[in-house]
Amino acid sequence: MAASQETVAAMRRMLDRFVAAYTAKDLQGVLDCFDGGPDGVLVGTGADEWRVGASEVRVQTERDFGQADDLSLEYHDLHVGGGQGVAWFAAKGTVRARVANDVFESAIRLTGVATLQGQAWKIVQSHLSFPAASQEPGRSF
């Protein structure tokens, strides 16, 4: 279902808030972008990065912030769908981190589902992945 222009703009504002908070290592700012209940899901790139519920989203975010001296996140090619208080998004982007004077940079893929809670959109499910570097273009495996 195609999202309205209003929903697309709202998803962009929500993601802009998330990116700004994550880049600033603003824990409360990141958590404010997520559903605060027990059912939200955050899936990251690590084998142990399967987080369910607000307390687990906090654990993952604190871990990210604790392991990087500097962080930066950006997104582009945003696609949004949805309606009636539910929206889903997909975007490409880049993550950068400085860890003990080593610089990490990678392309990312970010997907998620958000719901309208009162006047604010909140992420209830998100998934971040890295494209498989060993997979050649045009190959599925």
Side-chain angles (χ1 to χ4, degrees):
M1 166 186 323
S4 69
Q5 291 294 27
E6 180 181 315
T7 299
V8 172
M11 289 298 98
R12 186 172 301 281
R13 286 190 303 271
M14 181 193 67
L15 287 170
D16 288 347
R17 280 193 315 273
F18 170 74
V19 165
Y22 193 84
T23 298
K25 295 172 75 171
D26 172 4
L27 178 62
Q28 192 57 53
V30 169
L31 297 177
D32 287 346
C33 294
F34 283 84
D35 178 281
D39 297 322
V41 177
L42 182 151
V43 179
T45 59
D48 65 338
E49 293 180 355
W50 184 274
R51 306 296 186 172
V52 178
S55 63
E56 287 295 305
V57 171
R58 173 184 287 275
V59 166
Q60 184 62 52
T61 305
E62 288 174 337
R63 183 171 101 173
D64 289 359
F65 291 174
Q67 292 181 10
D69 298 317
D70 293 310
L71 283 169
S72 111
L73 185 62
E74 58 191 54
Y75 71 94
H76 55 88
D77 294 339
L78 176 65
H79 297 273
V80 177
Q84 299 180 347
V86 177
W88 45 93
F89 59 87
K92 297 175 187 176
T94 304
V95 63
R96 292 178 188 86
R98 187 172 53 83
V99 180
N101 293 322
D102 289 326
V103 175
F104 171 84
E105 181 174 330
S106 180
I108 59 169
R109 298 169 177 162
L110 176 64
T111 64
V113 176
T115 59
L116 185 57
Q117 300 178 15
Q119 299 297 313
W121 285 92
K122 302 286 185 166
I123 300 168
V124 294
Q125 185 276 327
S126 69
H127 182 222
L128 185 135
S129 64
F130 299 129
S134 63
Q135 185 174 324
E136 296 177 23
R139 301 294 300 175
S140 296
F141 306 97

